[in-house]
Amino acid sequence: MKCLIIDVVSPAIATELGKYMEVDTKILPTQEELAGMIGDYEVLIMRVDPAINKEILDAAKKLKVIGVCSVGLNHIDMAVAKEKGIQVFNAPGLNDNAVAELTISKMLDISRHTIDACNDVKVGKNWDKYKFMGRELRGKTLGILGFGRVGQRVAKLAHAFQMYVVAYAPYLPEYVFDQEATKGVSVDELLKVSDFVSIHMPLTPETKDLFNAKSIATMKDGAVVLNMARGGIVNEQDMYEALKSGKLGGFATDVMANELAAGGLTEGAGFDSPLFECENFIVTPHLGAQTTDAARAIGVHIINKVKDAMGLK
């Protein structure tokens, strides 16, 4: 048996599965590259890139299991996988706290200008506290779009800062909002009342470009948008215009629409965006789940799922 790992995941996965099968690693192959090599493997371990389309699955003649070391599965053609009898396992609930803590970190960073201030001292060799007047989270309204495990964890942390929390999740029963001391509202109401809006929704045809010129216009002047979910939910050109005009007070994101367009982790990859011109924009390279704690938990979960599926003891 052979296993192919195509993203940076817990090293425990290769170590443990290596006791039962040959394990190869090819970090972030293109779809064409993956289609060309997948035919030799029974197990595929990945995160979210590249998207697993019908062409790849058609080429995966031996594939029995796909272990996804993240939550979302919209990057896999699940109908074709099911048709071919390929079991797909993800890791829900194991990186919730990591993503939630990053969300709060970004709220603090953009509110207190910590990144700009750090660069001003280290790079500019300046010591000028008067350049960086910030604002506190206490007493502000946080709107959470998507109130699943991550959104609920963000709400808990926000309450510790004495924020008022509203959330949008149309299919959740009312008692869930009550348990989290959170008011359930519509998207329109959430955008209207929130000082901070944090996105924790999947990318779907309904959520694509949810933040655009029209919806941004309904928001509070100076509001801050945070996206720890998926690039594409925010229209980046419209966000650029909102930041440059001063309509919004900031945009903090861990994801971008074309984040792997230039090769991602491959050697010599580059990446650019007009948003980089905006002082009130901060970005990280999709590291929401990048903690040793989350990686360890996800690794154990995926190992057990693969071993069960493959009948390994």
Side-chain angles (χ1 to χ4, degrees):
M1 286 190 295
K2 296 181 69 175
C3 169
L4 178 62
I5 298 176
I6 61 170
D7 209 328
V8 179
V9 297
S10 169
I13 295 176
T15 299
E16 180 62 21
L17 295 184
K19 298 175 182 178
Y20 306 91
M21 63 188 77
E22 180 182 339
V23 177
D24 296 327
T25 299
K26 169 67 174 175
I27 299 299
L28 292 183
T30 65
Q31 288 181 316
E32 293 76 14
E33 288 173 335
L34 184 56
M37 68 177 69
I38 194 63
D40 293 333
Y41 296 93
E42 285 83 8
V43 177
L44 175 65
I45 302 294
M46 65 178 303
R47 292 177 75 178
V48 297
D49 294 290
I52 305 300
N53 57 22
K54 184 178 187 300
E55 288 70 27
I56 292 172
L57 294 171
D58 283 343
K61 303 300 185 184
K62 298 181 180 179
L63 194 63
K64 294 181 172 61
V65 175
I66 301 175
V68 181
C69 297
S70 59
V71 178
L73 292 174
N74 60 314
H75 57 290
I76 296 175
D77 191 326
M78 294 296 290
V80 174
K82 182 178 180 180
E83 175 188 314
K84 293 180 176 296
I86 299 170
Q87 298 185 65
V88 181
F89 301 112
N90 61 345
L94 298 176
N95 62 7
D96 300 347
N97 187 67
V99 177
E101 287 188 6
L102 182 65
T103 303
I104 298 297
S105 169
K106 286 186 182 292
M107 271 198 278
L108 291 167
D109 283 336
I110 208 160
S111 296
R112 299 304 302 273
H113 311 294
T114 53
I115 295 174
D116 288 339
C118 177
N119 289 335
D120 200 49
V121 175
K122 292 177 67 175
V123 180
K125 304 297 190 290
N126 296 315
W127 190 265
D128 185 358
K129 66 182 178 183
Y130 301 106
K131 291 172 64 176
F132 302 104
M133 182 64 71
R135 57 175 173 171
E136 299 177 17
L137 302 187
R138 181 178 59 178
K140 305 302 189 299
T141 297
L142 169 63
I144 301 176
L145 286 170
F147 206 53
R149 287 180 292 263
V150 176
Q152 290 174 35
R153 181 61 181 161
V154 170
K156 284 186 172 67
L157 298 177
H159 286 308
F161 286 89
Q162 298 179 26
M163 301 184 81
Y164 177 67
V165 183
V166 298
Y168 169 75
Y171 305 114
L172 272 186
E174 189 63 34
Y175 75 84
V176 176
F177 296 98
D178 294 339
Q179 287 175 346
E180 303 301 332
T182 295
K183 181 182 179 183
V185 296
S186 67
V187 173
D188 291 344
E189 178 69 11
L190 185 147
L191 295 179
K192 186 188 304 182
V193 304
S194 298
D195 301 292
F196 296 84
V197 177
S198 192
I199 303 168
H200 302 285
M201 313 169 84
L203 176 62
T204 66
E206 289 73 32
T207 64
K208 181 171 173 55
D209 291 333
L210 178 63
F211 281 80
N212 54 39
K214 182 178 179 180
S215 60
I216 289 170
T218 69
M219 298 178 67
K220 280 186 176 182
D221 290 346
V224 171
V225 176
L226 306 109
N227 187 8
M228 306 303 127
R230 287 290 182 268
I233 297 176
V234 173
N235 182 298
E236 292 171 8
Q237 183 61 40
D238 290 352
M239 178 58 68
Y240 168 81
E241 299 294 342
L243 295 178
K244 293 298 283 187
S245 70
K247 167 62 180 176
L248 292 184
F251 177 41
T253 187
D254 190 42
V255 292
M256 298 193 76
N258 297 309
E259 59 194 57
L260 291 178
L265 298 179
T266 57
E267 184 177 354
F271 187 66
D272 200 4
S273 167
L275 283 166
F276 295 172
E277 300 174 17
C278 302
E279 293 183 1
N280 47 353
F281 170 66
I282 59 175
V283 59
T284 44
H286 207 150
L287 50 74
Q290 291 291 97
T291 68
T292 54
D293 315 80
R296 185 183 308 113
I298 291 169
V300 170
H301 175 79
I302 292 297
I303 287 167
N304 290 335
K305 285 290 188 180
V306 171
K307 288 173 69 174
D308 286 347
M310 299 296 290
L312 305 174
K313 302 298 181 183

